[in-house]
């Protein structure tokens, strides 16, 4: 394959969501590199998040209103763009299948970024059985079997450090850092390294990927900001807050038990337990990372990330729709 065309007219889905807001910020920061930046959203979001959308419009972002489930609305929107970036939430991951089909048939669209930005769903032999991966795996299967024209990039970032080092009030036993109380619950032994990307860096890495032509039709980029163990995160918090914290641990075995119970009880945060178990087991670690393939953009450090958490309490679990 010759190098893919560089995206110039980009349309983002899920722009006001947990990660979508950082992606749109990074696109705006790099607006000189694009001819057109737009978001596709519903009239409902346009009304409920009017201020946010007005701020984006003031930055030159176009707002395309429509129903993500309407073929007509989506087809019409795609006519003016060459690249689709999806940051749709976990609950609507399968909506991307019709979006991909419409993009495949749209003459102007050459590039599609499915909503990934997380744990590698094809990491190892256990990956196909992990419940949180199922819908994204279906999207990848659909792409393998049906998408021939589009250039696809899966941006695999691992966990967002912002959330991991936040206060997980909803389930502290799955790991939490509480700056006000100066206490933490660490997963595993505390010495198991996890590869993290900050939410701001997800946007920066995505822009770097957009600016780097693809040499293969389907590209998986495994990127991160930094790797750290829970103990290293804790000691950075202790350094920045000037005193020792109270610490307890949830062993891998206990994490697995809590995970099993959460799935049995159909808890809305069962996914959080599974992902934290995967991360604690080392399911984010790679021999090499792909930042260099997209120009090695400057990224945040653990120290900077902890500084932000010390300044403003970050909830460890967020959803654009909860
Ligand atoms: N690595 C990590 O630690 C981590 C953490 C969280 C998420 N993620 C990943 O990041 C991606 C995005 O997740 P997110 O948490 O940012 O998503 P989210 O905030 O839950 O939702 C993102 C957007 O999806 C759209 N959406 C959601 N439900 C919808 C519905 N019923 N109908 C129409 N549109 C709907 C909305 O778009 P509008 O803005 O247009 O209303 C919403 O803002 C996912 O692939 C997720 O797995 C990774």
């Amino acid at each position: 394959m010759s190098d893919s065309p560089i995206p110039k007219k980009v349309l983002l889905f899920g722009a006001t969501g947990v990660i979508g807001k950082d992606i749109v910020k990074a696109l705006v920061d790099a607006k000189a590199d694009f001819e057109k930046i737009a978001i596709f959203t519903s009239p409902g979001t346009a009304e409920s998040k009017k201020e946010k959308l007005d701020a984006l419009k003031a930055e030159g972002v176009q707002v395309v209103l429509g129903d993500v489930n309407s073929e007509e609305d989506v087809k019409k929107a795609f006519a003016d763009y060459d690249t689709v970036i999806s940051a749709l939430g976990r609950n609507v991951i399968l909506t991307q299948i019709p979006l991909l089909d419409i993009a495949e048939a749209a003459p102007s669209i050459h590039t599609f970024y499915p909503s990934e930005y997380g744990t590698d769903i094809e990491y190892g032999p256990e990956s196909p059985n992990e419940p949180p991966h199922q819908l994204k795996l279906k999207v990848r299967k659909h792409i393998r079997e049906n998408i021939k024209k589009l250039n696809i990039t899966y941006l695999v970032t691992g966990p967002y450090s912002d959330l991991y080092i936040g206060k997980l009030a909803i389930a502290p036993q799955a790991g939490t850092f509480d700056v006000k109380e100066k206490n933490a619950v660490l997963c595993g032994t505390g010495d198991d390294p996890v590869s993290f990307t900050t939410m701001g860096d997800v946007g920066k890495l995505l822009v770097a990927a957009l600016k780097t032509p693809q040499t293969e039709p389907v590209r998986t980029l495994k990127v991160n900001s930094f790797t750290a163990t829970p103990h290293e995160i804790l000691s950075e918090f202790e350094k920045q807050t000037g005193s020792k914290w109270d610490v307890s641990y949830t062993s891998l075995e206990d994490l697995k038990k809590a995970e099993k119970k959460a799935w049995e009880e159909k808890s809305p945060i069962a996914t959080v337990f599974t992902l934290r178990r995967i991360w604690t087991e080392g399911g984010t670690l790679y021999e090499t990372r792909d930042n260099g393939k997209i120009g090695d953009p400057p990224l945040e450090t653990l120290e900077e990330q902890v500084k932000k958490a010390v300044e403003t309490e970050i909830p460890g679990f967020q959803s654009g729709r909860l």
Side-chain angles (χ1 to χ4, degrees):
M1 178 190 167
S2 53
D3 281 2
S4 64
I6 299 282
K8 287 290 169 194
K9 299 176 184 174
V10 300
L11 179 64
L12 170 66
F13 287 76
T16 72
V18 173
I19 201 57
K21 59 182 172 8
D22 286 289
I23 291 178
V24 76
K25 182 182 179 305
L27 288 168
V28 166
D29 288 347
K31 63 184 166 193
D33 293 310
F34 301 99
E35 284 170 30
K36 209 149 115 170
I37 299 169
I39 66 163
F40 183 104
T41 194
S42 63
T45 293
E47 205 181 307
S48 63
K49 299 183 178 172
K50 187 177 178 308
E51 265 176 41
K52 282 182 187 154
L53 297 198
D54 284 347
L56 289 177
K57 283 183 195 165
E59 296 279 8
V61 174
Q62 299 184 17
V63 176
V64 180
L65 292 186
D67 175 358
V68 71
N69 296 305
S70 155
E71 185 176 345
E72 197 190 335
D73 288 0
V74 171
K75 222 168 161 178
K76 200 167 147 220
F78 282 4
D80 295 327
Y81 299 91
D82 58 38
T83 296
V84 176
I85 301 165
S86 168
L88 288 170
R90 280 192 165 276
N91 52 336
V92 282
I93 286 295
L94 292 185
T95 306
Q96 297 178 108
I97 290 182
L99 290 187
L100 280 154
D101 291 341
I102 301 168
E104 178 80 356
S108 63
I109 306 281
H110 55 66
T111 299
F112 198 113
Y113 281 58
S115 183
E116 288 263 341
Y117 325 115
T119 305
D120 184 4
I121 59 170
E122 294 183 335
Y123 187 82
E126 287 308 316
S127 303
N129 307 317
E130 300 288 6
H133 297 353
Q134 296 309 309
L135 301 183
K136 289 185 181 176
L137 285 170
K138 276 192 188 156
V139 172
R140 287 200 186 188
K141 182 170 184 283
H142 184 81
I143 288 170
R144 260 194 314 275
E145 294 174 356
N146 300 283
I147 301 300
K148 308 283 173 245
K149 178 196 81 171
L150 298 173
N151 296 294
I152 304 284
T153 296
Y154 301 119
L155 192 69
V156 173
T157 61
Y160 305 153
S161 45
D162 315 54
L163 305 188
Y164 190 93
I165 71 166
K167 179 179 169 183
L168 191 62
I170 195 165
Q173 72 273 34
T176 186
F177 293 89
D178 185 337
V179 177
K180 259 193 216 136
E181 299 298 326
K182 292 193 175 171
N183 73 42
V185 180
L186 308 186
C187 291
T189 62
D191 289 324
D192 313 296
V194 180
S195 163
F196 294 105
T197 302
T198 72
M199 285 160 68
D201 285 348
V202 172
K204 285 182 204 152
L205 288 156
L206 182 107
V207 167
L210 288 169
K211 287 160 63 176
T212 309
Q214 293 182 225
T215 52
E216 51 203 342
V218 179
R219 165 174 78 169
T220 303
L221 295 171
K222 294 168 186 168
V223 292
N224 77 350
S225 300
F226 53 81
T227 297
T229 66
H231 278 145
E232 285 166 345
I233 297 170
L234 175 69
S235 83
E236 188 58 38
F237 269 116
E238 289 180 337
K239 191 171 128 201
Q240 293 196 27
T241 56
S243 64
K244 286 279 177 203
W245 285 27
D246 286 335
V247 184
S248 59
Y249 294 83
T250 301
S251 67
L252 189 53
E253 199 179 310
D254 286 345
L255 199 54
K256 284 181 185 170
K257 280 186 201 152
E259 175 193 2
K260 189 164 175 281
K261 188 163 172 276
W263 283 104
E264 281 166 2
E265 290 172 354
K266 297 190 170 49
S267 159
I269 58 152
T271 293
V272 174
F273 280 101
T274 298
L275 292 173
R276 289 189 176 215
R277 186 258 302 153
I278 293 172
W279 305 340
T280 304
E281 282 174 334
T284 60
L285 303 174
Y286 307 104
E287 274 173 27
T288 56
R289 61 178 196 163
D290 295 330
N291 298 37
K293 290 186 184 167
I294 51 173
D296 231 337
L299 300 177
E300 290 176 85
T301 60
L302 171 63
E303 198 179 346
E304 288 162 340
Q305 177 71 102
V306 167
K307 187 165 183 284
K308 272 197 227 163
V310 169
E311 283 165 1
T312 318
E313 182 178 282
I314 305 172
F317 176 68
Q318 297 174 28
S319 166
R321 291 273 160 159
L322 278 186

